[in-house]
Amino acid sequence: MAATTTVPGVTRPRGRAATGGRQRALWREWARSLDRPLTSYYLVLGTGVMLIALGLVMVLSSTMVNSITETGSAFSMFQRQMVSACIGLPLMLLASHLPQWVLRIAGYPAMIISVALLLLTTFQGTEVNGAMRWLEIGGLTIQPSEPAKLAFALWGANVLARKEELRELTEWRHLLFPLLPGCGLLALLVLLGSDLSTTLVLLLVFLSLLWVVGAPGRLFVAMFGLVTALAVIVIAIEPYRITRVTAFLDPGSDPTGNGFQSLHGLYALGTGGVFGLGIGASREKWGFLPFAESDFIFAIIGEEFGLIGTLVVISLFGVLGYAGLRVARRVDEPFARLAAIALVAWILGQAMINIAAVIGLVPVTGIPLPLVSYGGSALIPTMVALGVLLALAKAEPQARKALAARGPSGAQRALSWLGLDNVGTAVPKRSGAAVPRRSTTARGSRTAGPRGGRTTAKHRSGPVPAGDRPRRNRRR
């Protein structure tokens, strides 16, 4: 009788192959889920809501001590932030249902209003901590430079989109005018309020628009050099900015002065470790870390939620940036592509500057973390920008078809009273190409029958036009 031998490891390759096959199947399933028509929409919505919710929790945690000291209530600053979020939420939803032609037109009055408010702030603003950035209107204190970012993003995208549609982007002067003067005017007015960080964000949006529209390499390098030179000059002419740079290079040289905030931000991150001290257990917020609720809220996140919490925040911003770039790659209209890039450059650029300042990679700039830091002047415009990204995500060709098959939503029917119907499907005509339109007239009365009969497609809002009905395969 023949002896049988068992070769060690024979079944292991099969197990590894089966495991690898399951992993590949899961990877393919995950990749297919990203190809769904409304993936960009839900990614922007999901990450935005999670960042806003996290911001409310962290504002409550980081402001309880200061709120008790100032007002006797631990929830006074949190309540103001909650009111700002409640104001921004309907504005975000409204912006997400606006058609592109409304967004394109809105950039011009938004720029005019931003310039007017910045001019008013220069002469009659309120000075806080040596900076003239705030303006009191009707008992409310606002920072006009925050909505100016949204205004410039929409206005700049529309200017370049119109030139692209008219095929005028063949000369350098059409690339720079009026985009460069508009950006320069806003940057100058913001610099008059000693706000270098917001100026850098505006210039970043300007460079991103030039990059996406296809500016020549020499022109882009020249503009990048101009922006860098401007930043160096602005830092050199202000003594306190030179002091910040010195403190950044060696914060330990002045631990109780200029390096105090940077050092305590690093202390907070180091104390949190991997898993953090727990929500509400921060020690630096007890008067040790200045501006813990705004400029250095990322340090409080690291102290209470640890390294894992900071990586989650960075991942959420990364997914938001991926969704915005995905929208820019998939849309057909030049304005949608440019506006998506401008908004992503604004939000992600500002987040990167804030996080880099907290972890000590760049000097302290005093710029908030988008959607997370305390401050209604920054939260509301950023939420409106998220609404614009949602509207652009619905302008993707596949998303437009999917929404058309669903029929009009309740918000679209409500906006129809304002003459803004067909919000989800309105597509502006591109120059040089006619947009075909299918006839929606009925061919005759249709009667129901068991076979071969025609039935009238209906929706809860009424009969669906023939051009909007999904086709069905019919057996011959």
Side-chain angles (χ1 to χ4, degrees):
M1 192 172 184
T4 59
T5 58
T6 302
V7 179
V10 170
T11 59
R12 291 180 184 176
R14 294 181 181 178
R16 288 196 296 268
T19 303
R22 286 194 298 269
Q23 292 176 353
R24 287 192 296 270
L26 291 174
W27 175 261
R28 287 194 296 267
E29 183 66 24
W30 181 77
R32 281 196 297 268
S33 66
L34 290 180
D35 281 336
R36 294 177 180 176
L38 294 173
T39 297
S40 302
Y41 178 86
Y42 289 119
L43 285 178
V44 173
L45 181 62
T47 53
V49 170
M50 284 190 284
L51 285 171
I52 294 170
L54 174 65
L56 291 175
V57 172
M58 295 312 303
V59 166
L60 174 61
S61 175
S62 60
T63 59
M64 294 181 69
V65 177
N66 292 335
S67 297
I68 293 175
T69 304
E70 296 176 1
T71 64
S73 173
F75 303 99
S76 58
M77 298 180 71
F78 169 74
Q79 289 173 352
R80 289 196 289 268
Q81 186 75 355
M82 179 63 74
V83 169
S84 299
C86 292
I87 294 174
L89 182 60
L91 293 178
M92 182 181 73
L93 295 178
L94 176 62
S96 67
H97 287 89
L98 292 178
Q100 289 189 35
W101 64 267
V102 174
L103 297 175
R104 297 183 70 160
I105 295 175
Y108 291 92
M111 277 288 290
I112 296 174
I113 294 174
S114 298
V115 171
L117 291 177
L118 288 172
L119 280 173
L120 191 60
T121 304
T122 302
F123 296 102
Q124 299 192 9
T126 301
E127 184 175 351
V128 179
N129 297 323
M132 191 78 69
R133 305 176 186 176
W134 289 266
L135 182 65
E136 292 187 4
I137 299 178
L140 298 176
T141 303
I142 64 173
Q143 190 173 352
S145 59
E146 293 296 334
K149 303 171 187 175
L150 176 61
F152 177 68
L154 294 178
W155 175 79
N158 184 41
V159 166
L160 292 181
R162 187 178 61 179
K163 289 178 177 292
E164 183 175 345
E165 291 167 352
L166 297 176
R167 304 182 185 277
E168 293 181 351
L169 295 179
T170 56
E171 300 180 6
W172 66 270
R173 60 186 184 92
H174 288 295
L175 286 168
L176 297 182
F177 295 96
L179 187 65
L180 180 59
C183 179
L185 178 61
L186 287 180
L188 177 62
L189 293 175
V190 171
L191 278 177
L192 291 177
S194 299
D195 193 353
L196 177 60
S197 55
T198 300
T199 304
L200 293 178
V201 173
L202 291 172
L203 295 175
L204 179 62
V205 174
F206 168 72
L207 291 176
S208 66
L209 288 173
L210 287 183
W211 177 270
V212 174
V213 84
R218 293 181 180 179
L219 178 63
F220 185 82
V221 171
M223 290 298 102
F224 184 81
L226 178 63
V227 169
T228 305
L230 176 64
V232 172
I233 293 173
V234 170
I235 292 174
I237 62 178
E238 290 288 350
Y240 78 92
R241 292 196 180 108
I242 298 178
T243 304
R244 282 187 178 182
V245 173
T246 305
F248 158 71
L249 296 176
D250 188 11
S253 61
D254 191 7
T256 60
N258 295 316
F260 183 83
Q261 190 177 22
S262 298
L263 288 176
H264 279 271
L266 295 176
Y267 294 160
L269 293 173
T271 304
V274 178
F275 300 101
L277 302 177
I279 185 170
S282 170
R283 302 164 186 169
E284 291 293 332
K285 68 182 180 183
W286 289 82
F288 296 103
L289 180 60
F291 304 104
E293 73 282 356
S294 55
D295 302 344
F296 273 71
I297 198 169
F298 187 78
I300 304 299
I301 294 174
E303 186 178 11
E304 295 187 353
F305 293 99
L307 176 64
I308 295 177
T310 57
L311 292 179
V312 168
V313 174
I314 294 174
S315 299
L316 288 175
F317 279 108
V319 173
L320 181 60
Y322 164 76
L325 295 177
R326 188 176 188 271
V327 171
R329 184 174 61 88
R330 288 175 173 254
V331 292
D332 298 328
E333 298 77 20
F335 170 77
R337 182 176 70 254
L338 292 168
I341 290 296
L343 295 176
V344 168
W346 159 27
I347 297 175
L348 285 194
Q350 183 169 324
M352 291 172 62
I353 294 174
N354 176 274
I355 294 174
V358 172
I359 65 179
L361 294 181
V362 298
V364 177
T365 58
I367 194 170
L369 186 63
L371 301 173
V372 181
S373 293
Y374 173 79
S377 296
L379 178 62
I380 295 176
T382 311
M383 292 181 69
V384 176
L386 282 182
V388 175
L389 269 179
L390 291 174
L392 299 177
K394 291 190 292 186
E396 294 181 9
Q398 297 299 325
R400 194 184 304 123
K401 293 179 181 179
L403 293 173
R406 289 182 180 182
S409 64
Q412 289 174 337
R413 291 195 298 272
L415 288 175
S416 65
W417 289 90
L418 302 175
L420 301 178
D421 51 346
N422 296 328
V423 172
T425 59
V427 182
K429 292 184 179 181
R430 301 180 65 180
S431 61
V435 179
R437 304 182 66 178
R438 296 177 61 183
S439 174
T440 59
T441 58
R443 297 181 182 179
S445 60
R446 298 185 176 185
T447 58
R451 290 188 61 182
R454 297 181 178 180
T455 58
T456 303
K458 289 189 176 182
H459 192 264
R460 60 182 176 220
S461 61
V464 179
D468 292 337
R469 299 174 193 156
R471 296 181 179 180
R472 300 179 180 176
N473 295 327
R474 297 180 179 178
R475 296 181 179 180
R476 297 290 184 180

mmCIF file of all heavy atoms in Angstrom, residues 98-132:
data_model
loop_
_atom_site.group_PDB
_atom_site.id
_atom_site.type_symbol
_atom_site.label_atom_id
_atom_site.label_comp_id
_atom_site.label_asym_id
_atom_site.label_seq_id
_atom_site.Cartn_x
_atom_site.Cartn_y
_atom_site.Cartn_z
ATOM 1 N N LEU A 98 -29.045 76.130 -6.205
ATOM 2 C CA LEU A 98 -29.017 77.224 -7.172
ATOM 3 C C LEU A 98 -28.407 76.754 -8.485
ATOM 4 O O LEU A 98 -27.442 75.987 -8.486
ATOM 5 C CB LEU A 98 -28.207 78.406 -6.625
ATOM 6 C CG LEU A 98 -28.811 79.155 -5.441
ATOM 7 C CD1 LEU A 98 -27.869 80.253 -4.986
ATOM 8 C CD2 LEU A 98 -30.185 79.730 -5.792
ATOM 9 N N PRO A 99 -28.943 77.213 -9.611
ATOM 10 C CA PRO A 99 -28.332 76.870 -10.905
ATOM 11 C C PRO A 99 -27.039 77.639 -11.120
ATOM 12 O O PRO A 99 -26.748 78.624 -10.431
ATOM 13 C CB PRO A 99 -29.405 77.272 -11.923
ATOM 14 C CG PRO A 99 -30.164 78.350 -11.236
ATOM 15 C CD PRO A 99 -30.162 78.022 -9.772
ATOM 16 N N GLN A 100 -26.287 77.201 -12.102
ATOM 17 C CA GLN A 100 -24.974 77.813 -12.325
ATOM 18 C C GLN A 100 -25.076 79.264 -12.769
ATOM 19 O O GLN A 100 -24.213 80.079 -12.424
ATOM 20 C CB GLN A 100 -24.198 77.001 -13.361
ATOM 21 C CG GLN A 100 -23.723 75.662 -12.862
ATOM 22 C CD GLN A 100 -22.788 74.973 -13.828
ATOM 23 O OE1 GLN A 100 -22.000 75.632 -14.509
ATOM 24 N NE2 GLN A 100 -22.867 73.658 -13.923
ATOM 25 N N TRP A 101 -26.124 79.610 -13.515
ATOM 26 C CA TRP A 101 -26.196 80.995 -13.992
ATOM 27 C C TRP A 101 -26.404 81.956 -12.827
ATOM 28 O O TRP A 101 -25.927 83.101 -12.862
ATOM 29 C CB TRP A 101 -27.296 81.151 -15.036
ATOM 30 C CG TRP A 101 -28.706 80.908 -14.544
ATOM 31 C CD1 TRP A 101 -29.386 79.745 -14.577
ATOM 32 C CD2 TRP A 101 -29.579 81.888 -13.976
ATOM 33 N NE1 TRP A 101 -30.651 79.914 -14.060
ATOM 34 C CE2 TRP A 101 -30.799 81.216 -13.681
ATOM 35 C CE3 TRP A 101 -29.474 83.239 -13.692
ATOM 36 C CZ2 TRP A 101 -31.886 81.866 -13.114
ATOM 37 C CZ3 TRP A 101 -30.553 83.884 -13.118
ATOM 38 C CH2 TRP A 101 -31.748 83.217 -12.834
ATOM 39 N N VAL A 102 -27.068 81.507 -11.766
ATOM 40 C CA VAL A 102 -27.220 82.355 -10.581
ATOM 41 C C VAL A 102 -25.883 82.501 -9.865
ATOM 42 O O VAL A 102 -25.509 83.592 -9.422
ATOM 43 C CB VAL A 102 -28.297 81.771 -9.653
ATOM 44 C CG1 VAL A 102 -28.361 82.561 -8.346
ATOM 45 C CG2 VAL A 102 -29.657 81.772 -10.329
ATOM 46 N N LEU A 103 -25.134 81.401 -9.751
ATOM 47 C CA LEU A 103 -23.825 81.464 -9.103
ATOM 48 C C LEU A 103 -22.863 82.351 -9.878
ATOM 49 O O LEU A 103 -22.044 83.069 -9.283
ATOM 50 C CB LEU A 103 -23.254 80.053 -8.968
ATOM 51 C CG LEU A 103 -24.055 79.078 -8.094
ATOM 52 C CD1 LEU A 103 -23.429 77.690 -8.148
ATOM 53 C CD2 LEU A 103 -24.126 79.571 -6.658
ATOM 54 N N ARG A 104 -22.966 82.315 -11.203
ATOM 55 C CA ARG A 104 -22.075 83.152 -12.012
ATOM 56 C C ARG A 104 -22.402 84.634 -11.840
ATOM 57 O O ARG A 104 -21.497 85.472 -11.731
ATOM 58 C CB ARG A 104 -22.175 82.755 -13.482
ATOM 59 C CG ARG A 104 -21.727 81.340 -13.755
ATOM 60 C CD ARG A 104 -21.761 80.991 -15.222
ATOM 61 N NE ARG A 104 -20.725 81.689 -15.973
ATOM 62 C CZ ARG A 104 -20.284 81.314 -17.158
ATOM 63 N NH1 ARG A 104 -20.792 80.226 -17.743
ATOM 64 N NH2 ARG A 104 -19.339 81.982 -17.777
ATOM 65 N N ILE A 105 -23.674 84.951 -11.798
ATOM 66 C CA ILE A 105 -24.062 86.351 -11.627
ATOM 67 C C ILE A 105 -23.744 86.838 -10.220
ATOM 68 O O ILE A 105 -23.371 88.000 -10.019
ATOM 69 C CB ILE A 105 -25.560 86.515 -11.949
ATOM 70 C CG1 ILE A 105 -25.812 86.218 -13.431
ATOM 71 C CG2 ILE A 105 -26.049 87.915 -11.610
ATOM 72 C CD1 ILE A 105 -27.275 86.236 -13.810
ATOM 73 N N ALA A 106 -23.883 85.955 -9.225
ATOM 74 C CA ALA A 106 -23.704 86.363 -7.827
ATOM 75 C C ALA A 106 -22.291 86.831 -7.532
ATOM 76 O O ALA A 106 -22.071 87.569 -6.562
ATOM 77 C CB ALA A 106 -24.069 85.206 -6.899
ATOM 78 N N GLY A 107 -21.311 86.418 -8.325
ATOM 79 C CA GLY A 107 -19.942 86.821 -8.050
ATOM 80 C C GLY A 107 -19.707 88.315 -8.164
ATOM 81 O O GLY A 107 -18.917 88.880 -7.392
ATOM 82 N N TYR A 108 -20.398 88.992 -9.087
ATOM 83 C CA TYR A 108 -20.175 90.424 -9.292
ATOM 84 C C TYR A 108 -20.686 91.272 -8.126
ATOM 85 O O TYR A 108 -19.926 92.075 -7.559
ATOM 86 C CB TYR A 108 -20.815 90.859 -10.601
ATOM 87 C CG TYR A 108 -20.114 90.300 -11.812
ATOM 88 C CD1 TYR A 108 -20.523 89.096 -12.393
ATOM 89 C CD2 TYR A 108 -19.021 90.952 -12.371
ATOM 90 C CE1 TYR A 108 -19.880 88.575 -13.488
ATOM 91 C CE2 TYR A 108 -18.358 90.436 -13.479
ATOM 92 C CZ TYR A 108 -18.799 89.238 -14.032
ATOM 93 O OH TYR A 108 -18.148 88.712 -15.129
ATOM 94 N N PRO A 109 -21.959 91.145 -7.712
ATOM 95 C CA PRO A 109 -22.378 91.927 -6.540
ATOM 96 C C PRO A 109 -21.640 91.528 -5.272
ATOM 97 O O PRO A 109 -21.410 92.374 -4.397
ATOM 98 C CB PRO A 109 -23.884 91.623 -6.434
ATOM 99 C CG PRO A 109 -24.099 90.371 -7.194
ATOM 100 C CD PRO A 109 -23.081 90.380 -8.289
ATOM 101 N N ALA A 110 -21.255 90.251 -5.151
ATOM 102 C CA ALA A 110 -20.505 89.828 -3.969
ATOM 103 C C ALA A 110 -19.144 90.527 -3.907
ATOM 104 O O ALA A 110 -18.691 90.933 -2.828
ATOM 105 C CB ALA A 110 -20.326 88.317 -3.974
ATOM 106 N N MET A 111 -18.490 90.691 -5.056
ATOM 107 C CA MET A 111 -17.214 91.407 -5.077
ATOM 108 C C MET A 111 -17.403 92.880 -4.711
ATOM 109 O O MET A 111 -16.605 93.449 -3.949
ATOM 110 C CB MET A 111 -16.576 91.286 -6.462
ATOM 111 C CG MET A 111 -15.797 90.006 -6.674
ATOM 112 S SD MET A 111 -14.225 89.965 -5.759
ATOM 113 C CE MET A 111 -13.275 91.198 -6.662
ATOM 114 N N ILE A 112 -18.429 93.505 -5.239
ATOM 115 C CA ILE A 112 -18.671 94.917 -4.935
ATOM 116 C C ILE A 112 -18.947 95.110 -3.451
ATOM 117 O O ILE A 112 -18.409 96.021 -2.801
ATOM 118 C CB ILE A 112 -19.841 95.437 -5.789
ATOM 119 C CG1 ILE A 112 -19.471 95.397 -7.274
ATOM 120 C CG2 ILE A 112 -20.220 96.858 -5.373
ATOM 121 C CD1 ILE A 112 -20.612 95.755 -8.198
ATOM 122 N N ILE A 113 -19.785 94.237 -2.886
ATOM 123 C CA ILE A 113 -20.104 94.353 -1.460
ATOM 124 C C ILE A 113 -18.854 94.090 -0.616
ATOM 125 O O ILE A 113 -18.611 94.771 0.394
ATOM 126 C CB ILE A 113 -21.229 93.370 -1.095
ATOM 127 C CG1 ILE A 113 -22.525 93.770 -1.802
ATOM 128 C CG2 ILE A 113 -21.446 93.326 0.412
ATOM 129 C CD1 ILE A 113 -23.659 92.783 -1.629
ATOM 130 N N SER A 114 -18.030 93.127 -1.009
ATOM 131 C CA SER A 114 -16.815 92.822 -0.251
ATOM 132 C C SER A 114 -15.849 93.994 -0.253
ATOM 133 O O SER A 114 -15.274 94.348 0.785
ATOM 134 C CB SER A 114 -16.141 91.578 -0.827
ATOM 135 O OG SER A 114 -16.978 90.447 -0.714
ATOM 136 N N VAL A 115 -15.658 94.604 -1.415
ATOM 137 C CA VAL A 115 -14.767 95.765 -1.489
ATOM 138 C C VAL A 115 -15.302 96.912 -0.634
ATOM 139 O O VAL A 115 -14.546 97.583 0.087
ATOM 140 C CB VAL A 115 -14.592 96.210 -2.957
ATOM 141 C CG1 VAL A 115 -13.857 97.541 -3.036
ATOM 142 C CG2 VAL A 115 -13.831 95.143 -3.744
ATOM 143 N N ALA A 116 -16.615 97.147 -0.688
ATOM 144 C CA ALA A 116 -17.207 98.226 0.105
ATOM 145 C C ALA A 116 -17.033 97.969 1.605
ATOM 146 O O ALA A 116 -16.685 98.879 2.377
ATOM 147 C CB ALA A 116 -18.686 98.373 -0.246
ATOM 148 N N LEU A 117 -17.265 96.731 2.046
ATOM 149 C CA LEU A 117 -17.112 96.414 3.467
ATOM 150 C C LEU A 117 -15.658 96.503 3.907
ATOM 151 O O LEU A 117 -15.370 96.967 5.024
ATOM 152 C CB LEU A 117 -17.664 95.016 3.744
ATOM 153 C CG LEU A 117 -19.182 94.849 3.633
ATOM 154 C CD1 LEU A 117 -19.577 93.399 3.873
ATOM 155 C CD2 LEU A 117 -19.907 95.755 4.614
ATOM 156 N N LEU A 118 -14.738 96.078 3.056
ATOM 157 C CA LEU A 118 -13.317 96.186 3.409
ATOM 158 C C LEU A 118 -12.865 97.642 3.487
ATOM 159 O O LEU A 118 -12.072 98.011 4.362
ATOM 160 C CB LEU A 118 -12.472 95.412 2.395
ATOM 161 C CG LEU A 118 -12.550 93.885 2.484
ATOM 162 C CD1 LEU A 118 -11.819 93.240 1.319
ATOM 163 C CD2 LEU A 118 -11.971 93.386 3.798
ATOM 164 N N LEU A 119 -13.370 98.460 2.576
ATOM 165 C CA LEU A 119 -13.060 99.896 2.661
ATOM 166 C C LEU A 119 -13.623 100.512 3.935
ATOM 167 O O LEU A 119 -12.953 101.315 4.600
ATOM 168 C CB LEU A 119 -13.634 100.614 1.431
ATOM 169 C CG LEU A 119 -12.832 100.516 0.134
ATOM 170 C CD1 LEU A 119 -13.618 101.128 -1.021
ATOM 171 C CD2 LEU A 119 -11.485 101.208 0.279
ATOM 172 N N LEU A 120 -14.837 100.136 4.276
ATOM 173 C CA LEU A 120 -15.439 100.650 5.504
ATOM 174 C C LEU A 120 -14.681 100.177 6.731
ATOM 175 O O LEU A 120 -14.521 100.924 7.703
ATOM 176 C CB LEU A 120 -16.904 100.199 5.567
ATOM 177 C CG LEU A 120 -17.785 100.850 6.636
ATOM 178 C CD1 LEU A 120 -17.854 102.352 6.439
ATOM 179 C CD2 LEU A 120 -19.191 100.250 6.603
ATOM 180 N N THR A 121 -14.174 98.964 6.683
ATOM 181 C CA THR A 121 -13.394 98.438 7.808
ATOM 182 C C THR A 121 -12.077 99.184 7.958
ATOM 183 O O THR A 121 -11.602 99.416 9.076
ATOM 184 C CB THR A 121 -13.120 96.938 7.598
ATOM 185 O OG1 THR A 121 -14.353 96.256 7.419
ATOM 186 C CG2 THR A 121 -12.393 96.349 8.786
ATOM 187 N N THR A 122 -11.497 99.593 6.835
ATOM 188 C CA THR A 122 -10.223 100.310 6.890
ATOM 189 C C THR A 122 -10.348 101.630 7.635
ATOM 190 O O THR A 122 -9.439 102.035 8.377
ATOM 191 C CB THR A 122 -9.710 100.560 5.464
ATOM 192 O OG1 THR A 122 -9.577 99.300 4.776
ATOM 193 C CG2 THR A 122 -8.363 101.256 5.487
ATOM 194 N N PHE A 123 -11.491 102.310 7.461
ATOM 195 C CA PHE A 123 -11.649 103.639 8.057
ATOM 196 C C PHE A 123 -12.437 103.614 9.363
ATOM 197 O O PHE A 123 -12.198 104.448 10.241
ATOM 198 C CB PHE A 123 -12.342 104.570 7.064
ATOM 199 C CG PHE A 123 -11.534 104.825 5.819
ATOM 200 C CD1 PHE A 123 -11.826 104.173 4.634
ATOM 201 C CD2 PHE A 123 -10.462 105.698 5.835
ATOM 202 C CE1 PHE A 123 -11.085 104.392 3.487
ATOM 203 C CE2 PHE A 123 -9.707 105.932 4.693
ATOM 204 C CZ PHE A 123 -10.017 105.277 3.522
ATOM 205 N N GLN A 124 -13.381 102.696 9.510
ATOM 206 C CA GLN A 124 -14.219 102.690 10.708
ATOM 207 C C GLN A 124 -14.317 101.293 11.325
ATOM 208 O O GLN A 124 -15.343 100.946 11.915
ATOM 209 C CB GLN A 124 -15.634 103.207 10.377
ATOM 210 C CG GLN A 124 -15.646 104.625 9.855
ATOM 211 C CD GLN A 124 -17.053 105.207 9.812
ATOM 212 O OE1 GLN A 124 -17.986 104.622 10.325
ATOM 213 N NE2 GLN A 124 -17.174 106.362 9.222
ATOM 214 N N GLY A 125 -13.286 100.501 11.177
ATOM 215 C CA GLY A 125 -13.304 99.167 11.744
ATOM 216 C C GLY A 125 -12.984 99.173 13.221
ATOM 217 O O GLY A 125 -12.603 100.189 13.810
ATOM 218 N N THR A 126 -13.141 98.010 13.822
ATOM 219 C CA THR A 126 -12.850 97.821 15.244
ATOM 220 C C THR A 126 -11.508 97.110 15.376
ATOM 221 O O THR A 126 -11.293 96.056 14.786
ATOM 222 C CB THR A 126 -13.948 96.978 15.910
ATOM 223 O OG1 THR A 126 -15.200 97.640 15.751
ATOM 224 C CG2 THR A 126 -13.657 96.784 17.388
ATOM 225 N N GLU A 127 -10.614 97.691 16.158
ATOM 226 C CA GLU A 127 -9.284 97.121 16.329
ATOM 227 C C GLU A 127 -9.288 96.127 17.477
ATOM 228 O O GLU A 127 -9.721 96.436 18.590
ATOM 229 C CB GLU A 127 -8.259 98.225 16.598
ATOM 230 C CG GLU A 127 -6.822 97.709 16.694
ATOM 231 C CD GLU A 127 -5.823 98.837 16.848
ATOM 232 O OE1 GLU A 127 -6.234 100.012 16.705
ATOM 233 O OE2 GLU A 127 -4.644 98.551 17.115
ATOM 234 N N VAL A 128 -8.825 94.911 17.198
ATOM 235 C CA VAL A 128 -8.733 93.856 18.207
ATOM 236 C C VAL A 128 -7.342 93.250 18.094
ATOM 237 O O VAL A 128 -6.939 92.797 17.018
ATOM 238 C CB VAL A 128 -9.811 92.772 17.993
ATOM 239 C CG1 VAL A 128 -9.659 91.678 19.047
ATOM 240 C CG2 VAL A 128 -11.204 93.382 18.050
ATOM 241 N N ASN A 129 -6.613 93.257 19.209
ATOM 242 C CA ASN A 129 -5.251 92.692 19.258
ATOM 243 C C ASN A 129 -4.338 93.324 18.214
ATOM 244 O O ASN A 129 -3.515 92.649 17.586
ATOM 245 C CB ASN A 129 -5.289 91.178 19.067
ATOM 246 C CG ASN A 129 -6.045 90.486 20.184
ATOM 247 O OD1 ASN A 129 -5.969 90.878 21.340
ATOM 248 N ND2 ASN A 129 -6.792 89.446 19.828
ATOM 249 N N GLY A 130 -4.497 94.624 17.992
ATOM 250 C CA GLY A 130 -3.622 95.341 17.077
ATOM 251 C C GLY A 130 -3.957 95.196 15.613
ATOM 252 O O GLY A 130 -3.200 95.684 14.770
ATOM 253 N N ALA A 131 -5.064 94.546 15.264
ATOM 254 C CA ALA A 131 -5.452 94.342 13.867
ATOM 255 C C ALA A 131 -6.821 94.958 13.625
ATOM 256 O O ALA A 131 -7.741 94.799 14.426
ATOM 257 C CB ALA A 131 -5.475 92.856 13.526
ATOM 258 N N MET A 132 -6.939 95.671 12.499
ATOM 259 C CA MET A 132 -8.195 96.309 12.116
ATOM 260 C C MET A 132 -8.907 95.404 11.107
ATOM 261 O O MET A 132 -8.894 95.653 9.902
ATOM 262 C CB MET A 132 -7.924 97.687 11.509
ATOM 263 C CG MET A 132 -9.173 98.539 11.323
ATOM 264 S SD MET A 132 -9.751 99.297 12.843
ATOM 265 C CE MET A 132 -8.446 100.490 13.152
#
